[in-house]
Amino acid sequence: MLGGTLHAAARDDVIVAIQLEPPNLDPTSGAAGAIDSVLYSNVFEGLTRFAADGSVVPGLAERWDISDDGLVYTFHLRDGVTFHDGTALDGEDVKFSLDRARSEDSTNAQKGLFAPIETVSVIDPLTVEVTLSRPTGNFLFDLAWGDAVIVAPESIATIATAPVGTGAFVFDDWRQGDRIDLVRNPDYWGETARLQRATFRFISDPRAAFAAMMAGDIDAFVGFPAPENLPQFEADPRFQVLVGTTEGETILAMNNGQPPFDDVRVRQAVVHAIDRQAIIDGAMFGLGTPIGTHFAPHNPAYVDLIALSGHDPERSRELLAEAGFPDGFTTTLKLPPPSYARRGGEIIASQLRAVGIDTEIENQEWAQWLESTFNGKNFGLTIVSHTEPMDIGIYANPDYYFQYGDPDFIALMDRLNETTDPEARTALLREAQEMIARDYVNAFLFELAIPTVAKVGLSGLWRDQPTQAVDLTAVGWDR
């Protein structure tokens, strides 16, 4: 004690809660966004990465050169980077990761990101040359996705349960159903993490989330699932509330490969039955921005197409009659755990019932939804938020879960991939937005907001989520 005052040392640990638990810990083979929530940047890193403002910055590649024809990318890797098992990162690891992601038997959820790659060549241990089959204006952006992180060949056998990356934190323990523990990487190539230890807890129930936060059992809840409680936290001096934007287009997805949703008139009828604002107000307590296509409103290329799909129940009934369903029909509505889906699903079911479409609601746990609905395509309707950045290209994949893949749209995406001029890319992106909106592929609901509740004194958390990630690399306690 000096001068009569004893100062407590600042904490060097944190307990962060999120709503969904990852089904596995391999971001290069799993579709669940919760994998990236825990591991992106914290444990795994790519050649490039997303910064908090959404910009693409150097990651494991400190710089790169691009050939004049846009086909050859030469990546210069950082020197002295090691994986958490002590092995050195080199060009062979990069080649292995990219070749694995694009291989014929790849289970990467975003395999299309790697389709333009023709060859990956190791020039020397710190230099890798990637040759593309066509110019791809978004290539550096695509490499920042969690699906494109660099992994070590030696770790693949156990990557789903014991991930080994290069990030600022080392995986320590996973107690399934409860938490994942990370510890500081003392050998990290970049700025050392402020935290010595970080724990992710998984709390799916909104009431339990509120109780845990109020009791002080957790230090922060990212994606707080009960927006109706936010005013109470804002009024409490113990807490800070951050409300940011995401890349999460929340949609009522329709199975375009299954009758009756293979008929555009039926899809349009569903879309006109939906009152977006009622869903935002009723399920999200006003948090969310209405969208009319699969694109983020904060993106400069966004086109406001909401007028194409306004709430018009009478038009819905007319379209159903034209499609041969004057008395409506019954379909399934599969709902994953997030509150936007469970709460929104009840409202949507009521809105559809009003025009003659009855839904058999099935609440599914995340693993069940991924296996049956996403991979198995066993659904009529489902609700999910697509949190991947700039992911309109998924509509060019006929094998994707909503099974669209219109040939004209695929051709449009091919042109976009071959275009590097920013103005020309914007024009093509706007055309793409209009195409899926006018084909009523899905019912586009709202852009997901991301509310974070944290104890006062915790700093460095992302307010916005340019990708689904809870990046703890700059998080720490100020007092």
Side-chain angles (χ1 to χ4, degrees):
M1 186 154 78
L2 297 175
T5 302
L6 181 65
H7 293 282
R11 283 178 55 189
D12 63 358
D13 68 306
V14 73
I15 301 174
V16 177
I18 56 177
Q19 196 174 13
L20 299 178
E21 180 174 15
N24 68 68
L25 304 182
D26 179 10
T28 64
S29 66
I35 303 172
D36 279 355
S37 289
V38 175
L39 302 177
Y40 186 88
S41 195
N42 297 326
V43 173
F44 285 113
E45 300 173 299
L47 294 174
T48 61
R49 65 177 297 255
F50 293 113
D53 63 359
S55 60
V56 175
V57 298
L60 294 176
E62 62 181 358
R63 59 186 175 86
W64 46 82
D65 305 310
I66 306 173
S67 63
D68 291 341
D69 61 6
L71 293 177
V72 181
Y73 286 70
T74 304
F75 292 97
H76 304 277
L77 306 182
R78 297 182 188 275
D79 195 6
V81 177
T82 59
F83 285 98
H84 298 151
D85 61 4
T87 59
L89 169 83
D90 61 22
E92 293 294 343
D93 296 310
V94 174
K95 176 176 171 56
F96 169 81
S97 299
L98 296 180
D99 284 348
R100 174 175 173 262
R102 68 192 185 94
S103 68
E104 188 173 333
D105 60 352
S106 169
T107 59
N108 193 293
Q110 299 296 337
K111 189 175 177 179
L113 295 176
F114 312 97
I117 297 177
E118 191 169 88
T119 60
V120 182
S121 304
V122 179
I123 307 304
D124 60 50
L126 295 179
T127 311
V128 178
E129 188 176 272
V130 180
T131 301
L132 307 182
S133 59
R134 61 181 185 269
T136 304
N138 234 29
F139 189 58
L140 295 174
F141 183 93
D142 293 344
L143 290 179
W145 284 40
D147 307 81
V149 295
I150 304 304
V151 296
E154 301 85 359
S155 70
I156 297 304
T158 57
I159 190 173
T161 55
V164 174
T166 58
F169 291 93
V170 177
F171 170 79
D172 181 48
D173 187 31
W174 181 14
R175 298 192 182 184
Q176 294 192 16
D178 181 26
R179 69 178 190 265
I180 290 175
D181 293 318
L182 309 178
V183 295
R184 180 194 291 155
N185 177 8
D187 301 316
Y188 184 54
W189 60 265
E191 188 171 343
T192 304
R194 297 166 64 190
L195 297 168
Q196 174 62 41
R197 187 173 192 85
T199 296
F200 282 88
R201 286 189 56 196
F202 313 110
I203 305 175
S204 60
D205 181 70
R207 289 170 296 183
F210 176 73
M213 200 74 227
M214 290 298 290
D217 296 338
I218 52 180
D219 300 311
F221 202 120
V222 178
F224 188 76
E228 66 272 23
N229 296 136
L230 294 181
Q232 189 168 345
F233 287 115
E234 289 172 331
D236 191 322
R238 295 178 296 163
F239 301 107
Q240 53 181 317
V241 176
L242 311 173
V243 179
T245 62
T246 75
E247 291 289 324
E249 290 83 28
T250 307
I251 65 173
L252 174 66
M254 294 181 260
N255 194 335
N256 284 237
Q258 170 184 300
F261 302 109
D262 55 351
D263 187 328
V264 66
R265 295 170 298 183
V266 173
R267 299 196 300 269
Q268 187 177 357
V270 169
V271 168
H272 285 308
I274 300 303
D275 182 346
R276 294 180 181 86
Q277 197 59 51
I279 299 165
I280 294 170
D281 292 341
M284 307 305 295
F285 291 81
L287 286 184
T289 304
I291 55 174
T293 189
H294 198 107
F295 215 73
H298 55 258
N299 191 296
Y302 177 74
V303 182
D304 185 352
L305 298 168
I306 290 175
L308 290 175
S309 52
H311 184 220
D312 189 346
E314 187 55 40
R315 181 62 180 144
S316 290
R317 297 185 191 96
E318 292 173 358
L319 286 161
L320 288 173
E322 290 175 19
F325 298 98
D327 300 319
F329 61 89
T330 300
T331 189
T332 58
L333 178 57
K334 307 292 180 76
L335 302 177
S339 51
Y340 66 74
R342 296 282 172 88
R343 293 176 171 183
E346 296 292 340
I347 298 170
I348 285 174
S350 175
Q351 293 176 352
L352 292 174
R353 194 179 308 118
V355 301
I357 302 174
D358 288 322
T359 58
E360 298 170 351
I361 293 180
E362 180 182 342
N363 290 335
Q364 298 183 320
E365 293 308 308
W366 197 240
Q368 182 188 7
W369 186 90
L370 287 167
E371 179 181 355
S372 173
T373 301
F374 184 82
N375 290 321
K377 306 176 181 67
N378 180 25
F379 74 101
L381 301 170
T382 188
I383 301 173
V384 70
S385 188
H386 286 256
T387 54
E388 298 86 359
M390 188 94 78
D391 60 348
I392 196 169
I394 59 179
Y395 288 79
N397 180 2
D399 293 325
Y400 203 58
Y401 77 102
F402 48 70
Q403 302 187 87
Y404 178 56
D406 176 79
D408 291 337
F409 189 86
I410 293 173
L412 180 62
M413 286 294 101
D414 287 342
R415 283 162 51 206
L416 176 66
N417 286 331
E418 295 169 2
T419 302
T420 56
D421 177 71
E423 290 186 8
R425 285 182 59 82
T426 294
L428 290 170
L429 284 168
R430 289 174 174 168
E431 185 178 345
Q433 292 172 62
E434 292 221 18
M435 188 177 292
I436 59 172
R438 293 183 183 279
D439 214 2
Y440 299 93
V441 183
N442 293 310
F444 307 108
L445 305 176
F446 58 89
E447 195 75 9
L448 192 68
I450 183 78
T452 295
V453 180
K455 290 179 180 176
V456 167
L458 189 65
S459 65
L461 289 163
W462 282 7
R463 177 184 294 271
D464 301 321
Q465 282 203 347
T467 190
Q468 187 165 338
V470 183
D471 186 338
L472 298 180
T473 57
V475 171
W477 296 94
D478 295 333
R479 60 174 177 83

